[in-house]
Amino acid sequence: MLVGLFIFPYTASAAQVHRVAPGESLFMIAQRHGVTVNAILTQNKYLRNHNTIFPKQVLIIPQTHNNGIYIVQPGDTLFKISEKLGVTVEAIASENQITNINNLFVGQSLKVPTNTSQTNTTVTNNTYTVKAGDSLFKISQQLGVSMEAIAKENQLSNWNNIFVGQNLKIPNNDTNQTQTVSDEYVVKPGDTLFKISQDLAVPMNDLVKENNITNVNLLFVGQVLNIPNKVVSQPPSSPQHSVSQLARMYPDTLFMKGTGNGNKIALTFDDGPNPTYTPQLLDVLKRHNVPATFFVMGSRVERHPAIAQRIVNEGHVIANHTWIHPNLRNVSQSQLVTEMTETENIIQKVTGVRTALMRPPYGGINQQALEGLRDLNYKVIHWSIDSVDWRDQEVDTILINSLSPILGNDIILFHDAGGDEQTRGATVEGIEEIIITLRSQGYEFVTVDNLLGVKAYR
Ligand code: ZN
């Protein structure tokens, strides 16, 4: 594996977690870590009152980038890094001559450009109006659409020739397609070996053998995998939209967060029930009297009915995460119906409730699947924050991934189960600190239906 081979002449300290001790002030903490109070505030937007921090709460201490160098951390994307450092994606890309934004890898050192301002993005009816400071690269990164696709859609011959006020047609998102024509596959953010094997319809064992993979969790973004045999590409069916595009097109069906930046937080857990970790998690939630939402797999409810029952008994919401966890972008309409109704039936048999909320496995959704789910009367729940706990299985990294982006009314994605080799111990530990931290800052934990004002059950 390449991942062990990157060695750097010095180590820049990564973003880290500070656990507040009694009597500490933000100023003291900043001094101790050699950063400014402002830098801490930027990294911890969930702080509601800058003068009030509490013992045991967690603060994320930003990366100190010595000599203007930033080392790419687990869970990083160029967009995340740009937010951490308060500089634009475009500036980082140009400073480091990055041509493919997906080719970041953990441990990579990036030159940090000098500060420029950020702007927010809005797309109306698939049209984007160019703002000051925009480049094609920046727009493509913010919208999750490739530069090539935007250029083609708008017949731009020169990618630098966009002007403020120009209306760009935003093409269908193409970042999620897997029409790999060669026998190589470049690992994308969010990929797991399981996901790749599903998307490419290649058995996971074949991928492991072909690439001499010893640890299936050690994939990194930008890694090139050899794909054995031929890759089955997706049929050129309906256009592919990004999740946020779909959420705008179907605002009553697909949700990524609550409205505005209020004081509510919905903790969500996927892939259970798991006989080891789900009970541990339920213990933590019970101790702090926090309700959560569990997106369970039908096949696992069948195996662990008592745990599913406990989820409901203890005041949590149970919701549908399909029977065998297929990527819904690749299933037929009849398979979709089977996945949903079989899971709903076992949940009802075990707990007595019929689910009205679902989360698509991998967050994978397209227009066809979304309309199918809408016709089955499901609310489709995505997320606004990904803890990336399936990959970054360390407490501090999970805290950094989960807390840094919080603005309020967020839906945070965690997992209480995973593949056979995965542990969820760090998730269980991290949840307790997330609860303590956010409660100390006045946040209220709610189930997803409460956050969104929809019904959990039918
Ligand atoms: Zn899942």
Side-chain angles (χ1 to χ4, degrees):
M1 292 286 298
L2 282 171
V3 73
L5 300 178
F6 298 108
I7 293 163
F8 294 94
Y10 62 90
T11 44
S13 52
Q16 49 183 302
V17 167
H18 180 93
R19 293 167 173 88
V20 177
E24 280 188 324
S25 70
L26 263 187
F27 181 72
M28 288 161 63
I29 294 165
Q31 276 209 319
R32 188 177 142 192
H33 291 279
V35 297
T36 63
V37 168
N38 244 351
I40 294 182
L41 294 179
T42 306
Q43 193 76 28
N44 298 269
K45 294 204 177 76
Y46 56 89
L47 285 179
R48 285 294 152 108
N49 181 345
H50 303 164
N51 298 318
T52 320
I53 55 170
F54 294 86
K56 283 175 79 176
Q57 92 162 84
V58 163
L59 289 172
I60 311 303
I61 306 301
Q63 198 97 30
T64 51
H65 37 89
N66 298 323
N67 306 326
I69 299 288
Y70 175 88
I71 307 291
V72 177
Q73 300 299 307
D76 270 349
T77 62
L78 215 48
F79 185 69
K80 272 196 189 171
I81 295 170
S82 90
E83 293 208 310
K84 280 188 200 173
L85 301 179
V87 295
T88 62
V89 168
E90 179 200 18
I92 301 172
S94 90
E95 183 80 23
N96 294 276
Q97 300 174 336
I98 294 173
T99 49
N100 182 344
I101 55 156
N102 292 325
N103 269 349
L104 280 190
F105 54 90
V106 173
Q108 181 178 8
S109 45
L110 295 175
K111 280 187 260 176
V112 179
T114 44
N115 215 334
T116 51
S117 63
Q118 291 250 41
T119 48
N120 290 324
T121 313
T122 46
V123 176
T124 316
N125 296 329
N126 288 348
T127 300
Y128 175 86
T129 305
V130 178
K131 293 196 295 281
D134 274 343
S135 68
L136 203 57
F137 180 83
K138 189 176 167 191
I139 296 167
S140 100
Q141 170 68 7
Q142 287 182 343
L143 304 183
V145 180
S146 73
M147 287 195 283
E148 288 87 340
I150 300 175
K152 195 171 160 213
E153 186 82 18
N154 295 277
Q155 299 175 333
L156 302 174
S157 51
N158 181 342
W159 290 10
N160 294 323
N161 267 350
I162 59 169
F163 54 88
V164 175
Q166 182 176 7
N167 287 321
L168 293 176
K169 275 183 276 177
I170 301 306
N172 310 313
N173 177 303
D174 61 0
T175 56
N176 290 328
Q177 284 179 355
T178 52
Q179 289 162 345
T180 313
V181 284
S182 73
D183 54 357
E184 287 187 343
Y185 178 85
V186 180
V187 177
K188 294 193 301 271
D191 272 348
T192 62
L193 208 58
F194 180 71
K195 178 171 189 281
I196 295 168
S197 102
Q198 284 231 325
D199 285 353
L200 302 183
V202 176
M204 205 158 128
N205 276 345
D206 293 0
L207 287 172
V208 168
K209 257 192 229 154
E210 180 80 17
N211 294 280
N212 296 321
I213 293 173
T214 51
N215 181 342
V216 295
N217 294 321
L218 273 189
L219 281 190
F220 57 88
V221 173
Q223 180 176 5
V224 178
L225 296 177
N226 294 322
I227 306 304
N229 305 323
K230 55 184 178 297
V231 169
V232 180
S233 58
Q234 289 182 330
S237 54
S238 55
Q240 300 282 323
H241 298 89
S242 72
V243 173
S244 32
Q245 282 172 332
L246 288 170
R248 284 188 292 269
M249 291 161 65
Y250 299 88
D252 296 329
T253 303
L254 176 59
F255 299 86
M256 299 176 75
K257 79 187 283 288
T259 311
N261 297 334
N263 279 326
K264 291 182 176 180
I265 297 288
L267 305 177
T268 66
F269 300 94
D270 286 11
D271 298 353
N274 175 288
T276 308
Y277 299 109
T278 308
Q280 292 178 13
L281 210 45
L282 288 168
D283 289 346
V284 172
L285 296 172
K286 192 180 202 173
R287 190 151 66 236
H288 293 277
N289 198 19
V290 165
T293 307
F294 288 80
F295 292 91
V296 296
M297 286 168 58
S299 54
R300 290 178 173 169
V301 171
E302 189 177 47
R303 262 182 284 155
H304 309 293
I307 304 173
Q309 179 69 68
R310 185 179 163 196
I311 289 172
V312 174
N313 286 351
E314 298 189 355
H316 306 290
V317 161
I318 199 165
N320 195 322
H321 196 45
T322 74
W323 190 271
I324 58 160
H325 209 269
N327 188 331
L328 299 183
R329 296 198 308 261
N330 304 332
V331 304
S332 68
Q333 207 62 9
S334 68
Q335 197 186 339
L336 176 75
V337 171
T338 308
E339 284 282 336
M340 296 307 296
T341 49
E342 296 285 296
T343 303
E344 198 175 313
N345 289 342
I346 187 75
I347 291 173
Q348 182 176 30
K349 190 177 154 205
V350 167
T351 69
V353 298
R354 282 194 85 78
T355 59
L357 305 178
M358 73 81 61
R359 174 171 282 156
Y362 318 103
I365 191 81
N366 60 14
Q367 199 167 358
Q368 189 198 355
L370 189 58
E371 289 183 355
L373 290 163
R374 178 196 61 190
D375 296 346
L376 292 170
N377 279 318
Y378 276 99
K379 302 296 185 193
V380 178
I381 311 299
H382 212 263
W383 55 83
S384 57
I385 295 176
D386 185 352
S387 69
V388 204
D389 60 345
W390 54 270
R391 187 185 64 204
D392 300 343
Q393 297 172 37
E394 286 174 14
V395 177
D396 284 8
T397 315
I398 291 170
L399 292 173
I400 292 166
N401 293 345
S402 307
L403 289 172
S404 304
I406 285 178
L407 294 170
N409 288 359
D410 287 295
I411 298 172
I412 315 182
L413 167 65
F414 300 94
H415 297 82
D416 56 330
D420 291 341
E421 296 174 23
Q422 295 189 4
T423 157
R424 290 280 98 88
T427 301
V428 174
E429 264 185 77
I431 281 297
E432 181 145 41
E433 296 201 89
I434 287 168
I435 290 171
I436 291 169
T437 299
L438 293 178
R439 252 212 189 128
S440 78
Q441 293 295 323
Y443 289 87
E444 180 195 359
F445 292 97
V446 296
T447 49
V448 164
D449 53 309
N450 176 315
L451 176 69
L452 301 175
V454 299
K455 285 205 171 87
Y457 304 121
R458 33 186 107 227

